[in-house]
């Protein structure tokens, strides 16, 4: 059977990093020995005749038939977390299965489309598919924490319950080094989460790319004018959000004759060296030259909500004259308009 595209665990940002060293088996197992397995079985406590037993409920051992690994079978790796990258989604993990619950059906539609896109991009073959169910072919995982190559098949379902709409991923088949084996609870929980994170990470990438496209459209129409900051001092006002303007500064300022030297987004400062452009530049943008001397200047950007203030200081830290700011307004507006074309 042809295997699908190999997924390398260590190369994905959605996985927990391990600081352990040694073999794959050592990274999954405790370092101490397993002598506790040879402990003599507990015996029933025998009370002296006439004694009244007293028990602390804090130390009461639960009764029942419990199953699970012991000794070398215990996997000490931290549980794999589902990344909360889909706004409004709530992850529910039950019996090893991972379900993402969303409030609206159209949101599940988008996640479903993202899952289909992710499977196609990673060359993960599909055995069966309906409008509400996808069953994949074998997906190959490789990891430094595992002995050899792992294979998994998944079932992806659209579900609904109590007015909620969900997206569920289930690990249905498992194999190690080409040999099919029963699906353990540990592997089901861990590798369901990993596959879920591939979907959420792809969804997050789409959101960020869409936000970048919107930001690029917004910055094309930025009214520039003189105004004042919250203290009443004269500043240039760009009527757009701070982060939108900041992302365009590497192209806006150089087109005005500034060479960027230092930038600090958290402080809102840009240090740049100015050299007056030639006459061709001023003729091209249709604005008269500004009387700014060549030298190093610092731009100060302030976040005013839906607007951004711009001030300029010289190399000594002194604000430039208000007249220079006024002369820079049409230059900045012309450069922004030119880039929008």
């Amino acid at each position: 059977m042809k295997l699908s595209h190999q997924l390398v665990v260590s190369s994905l940002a959605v996985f927990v990093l391990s600081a352990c060293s040694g073999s794959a088996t050592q990274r999954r197992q405790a370092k101490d020995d397993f002598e506790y397995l040879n402990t003599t079985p507990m015996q029933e406590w025998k009370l002296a005749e006439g004694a009244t037993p007293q028990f602390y409920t804090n130390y009461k051992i639960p009764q029942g038939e419990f199953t699970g690994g012991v000794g070398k079978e215990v996997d000490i790796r931290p549980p794999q977390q589902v990344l909360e990258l889909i706004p409004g989604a709530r992850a529910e993990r039950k019996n090893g299965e991972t379900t993402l619950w969303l409030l609206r059906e159209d949101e599940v539609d988008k996640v479903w489309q993202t899952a289909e896109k992710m499977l196609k991009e990673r060359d993960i073959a599909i055995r069966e598919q309906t409008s509400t169910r996808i069953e994949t072919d074998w997906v190959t995982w490789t990891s430094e924490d595992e002995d050899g190559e792992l294979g998994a098949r998944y079932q992806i379902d659209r579900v609904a319950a109590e007015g909620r709409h969900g997206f569920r991923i289930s690990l249905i088949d498992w194999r190690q080094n080409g040999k099919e084996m029963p699906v353990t609870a540990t592997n089901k929980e861990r590798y369901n989460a990993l596959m879920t994170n591939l979907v959420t990470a792809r969804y997050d990438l789409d959101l960020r790319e869409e936000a970048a496209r919107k930001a690029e459209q917004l910055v094309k129409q930025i009214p520039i004018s003189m105004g004042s900051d919250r203290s009443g001092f004269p500043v240039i006002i760009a009527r757009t959000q701070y982060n939108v303007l900041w992302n365009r500064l590497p192209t806006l300022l150089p087109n005005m004759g500034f060479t960027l030297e230092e930038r600090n987004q958290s402080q809102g400062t840009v240090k740049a060296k100015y050299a007056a452009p030639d006459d061709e530049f001023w003729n091209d943008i249709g604005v008269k030259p500004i009387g700014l001397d060549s030298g190093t200047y610092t731009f100060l950007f302030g976040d005013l909500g839906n607007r951004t203030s711009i001030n300029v200081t010289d190399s000594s830290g002194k604000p430039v004259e208000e007249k220079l700011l006024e002369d820079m307004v049409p230059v900045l507006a012309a450069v922004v308009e030119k880039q929008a074309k």
Side-chain angles (χ1 to χ4, degrees):
M1 184 179 296
K2 184 178 179 181
L3 298 182
S4 60
H5 184 71
Q6 190 177 72
L7 301 177
V8 183
V9 174
S10 60
S11 67
L12 297 174
V14 297
F15 304 123
V16 176
L17 299 178
S18 174
C20 301
S21 60
S23 67
T25 301
Q26 290 175 327
R27 283 190 284 271
R28 296 197 309 273
Q29 294 179 357
K31 292 183 178 180
D32 297 333
D33 58 34
F34 304 104
E35 283 299 318
Y36 69 88
L37 296 177
N38 300 322
T39 302
T40 303
M42 291 185 294
Q43 299 179 356
E44 185 177 354
W45 184 268
K46 294 183 179 180
L47 295 172
E49 185 177 351
T52 302
Q54 298 289 336
F55 299 101
Y56 289 98
T57 57
N58 305 50
Y59 306 103
K60 185 177 181 180
I61 300 176
Q63 300 298 312
E65 294 294 329
F66 300 99
T67 60
V70 295
K72 296 182 179 180
E73 297 176 357
V74 178
D75 192 331
I76 67 168
R77 291 176 296 178
Q80 182 63 51
Q81 299 297 315
V82 176
L83 300 179
E84 299 180 357
L85 298 176
I86 299 179
R90 184 178 67 85
E92 179 182 77
R93 303 178 74 174
K94 187 177 181 181
N95 298 326
E97 294 181 338
T98 303
T99 304
L100 294 177
W101 291 107
L102 296 107
L103 298 177
R104 301 198 313 270
E105 188 173 4
D106 61 324
E107 293 176 330
V108 178
D109 292 339
K110 191 172 181 180
V111 177
W112 185 264
Q113 294 167 5
T114 301
E116 291 178 318
K117 182 191 302 182
M118 184 276 294
L119 294 175
K120 183 177 180 180
E121 291 175 345
R122 294 184 176 275
D123 295 329
I124 298 176
I126 296 175
R127 283 193 180 184
E128 298 180 14
Q129 181 173 3
T130 66
S131 60
T132 60
R133 177 178 173 272
I134 296 175
E135 185 176 315
T136 74
D137 205 338
W138 288 101
V139 177
T140 301
W141 299 95
T142 61
S143 169
E144 294 179 351
D145 293 340
E146 302 287 0
D147 297 308
E149 194 172 79
L150 306 177
R153 291 204 316 112
Y154 292 90
Q155 180 173 309
I156 305 174
D157 296 287
R158 292 183 57 148
V159 293
E162 301 177 352
R164 299 182 303 171
H165 303 275
F167 175 89
R168 177 176 298 155
I169 294 182
S170 306
L171 176 60
I172 57 177
D173 283 321
W174 182 260
R175 68 185 179 190
Q176 293 180 216
N177 294 321
K179 181 180 178 181
E180 292 194 33
M181 305 178 69
V183 179
T184 66
T186 298
N187 288 334
K188 190 173 185 179
E189 181 176 5
R190 187 172 190 81
Y191 286 90
N192 269 341
L194 294 181
M195 180 57 77
T196 303
N197 284 342
L198 289 180
V199 177
T200 60
R202 189 63 183 84
Y203 190 96
D204 179 65
L205 177 61
D206 286 343
L207 287 182
R208 288 187 284 112
E209 290 178 344
E210 178 63 22
R213 286 192 292 269
K214 289 181 178 180
E216 186 174 353
Q217 291 299 320
L218 287 173
V219 81
K220 289 182 178 180
Q221 304 295 331
I222 303 179
I224 307 293
S225 62
M226 280 297 296
S228 58
D229 60 15
R230 292 189 174 100
S231 300
F233 293 105
V235 292
I236 299 173
I237 296 294
R239 299 188 181 280
T240 188
Q241 296 178 356
Y242 172 82
N243 61 329
V244 174
L245 181 63
W246 182 270
N247 290 334
R248 295 303 298 270
L249 294 179
T251 55
L252 288 177
L253 293 181
N255 285 338
M256 296 172 60
F258 291 92
T259 302
L260 305 187
E261 295 183 338
E262 297 177 10
R263 289 190 296 160
N264 189 314
Q265 184 173 0
S266 62
Q267 296 181 7
T269 59
V270 174
K271 186 177 180 181
K273 183 176 291 185
Y274 178 72
D278 55 23
D279 293 340
E280 183 179 354
F281 167 80
W282 300 109
N283 292 331
D284 186 35
I285 66 172
V287 177
K288 67 178 183 178
I290 58 177
L292 192 65
D293 296 332
S294 298
T296 300
Y297 296 86
T298 298
F299 286 80
L300 309 174
F301 297 90
D303 189 349
L304 303 179
N306 62 348
R307 300 174 302 154
T308 304
S309 65
I310 307 172
N311 206 347
V312 185
T313 62
D314 58 24
S315 57
S316 65
K318 181 181 178 181
V320 299
E321 296 179 359
E322 183 177 353
K323 180 64 168 61
L324 283 175
L325 290 179
E326 292 175 349
D327 290 344
M328 291 179 66
V329 168
V331 179
L332 184 58
V335 172
V336 169
E337 183 179 357
K338 184 177 181 181
Q339 286 192 352
K341 296 180 179 180

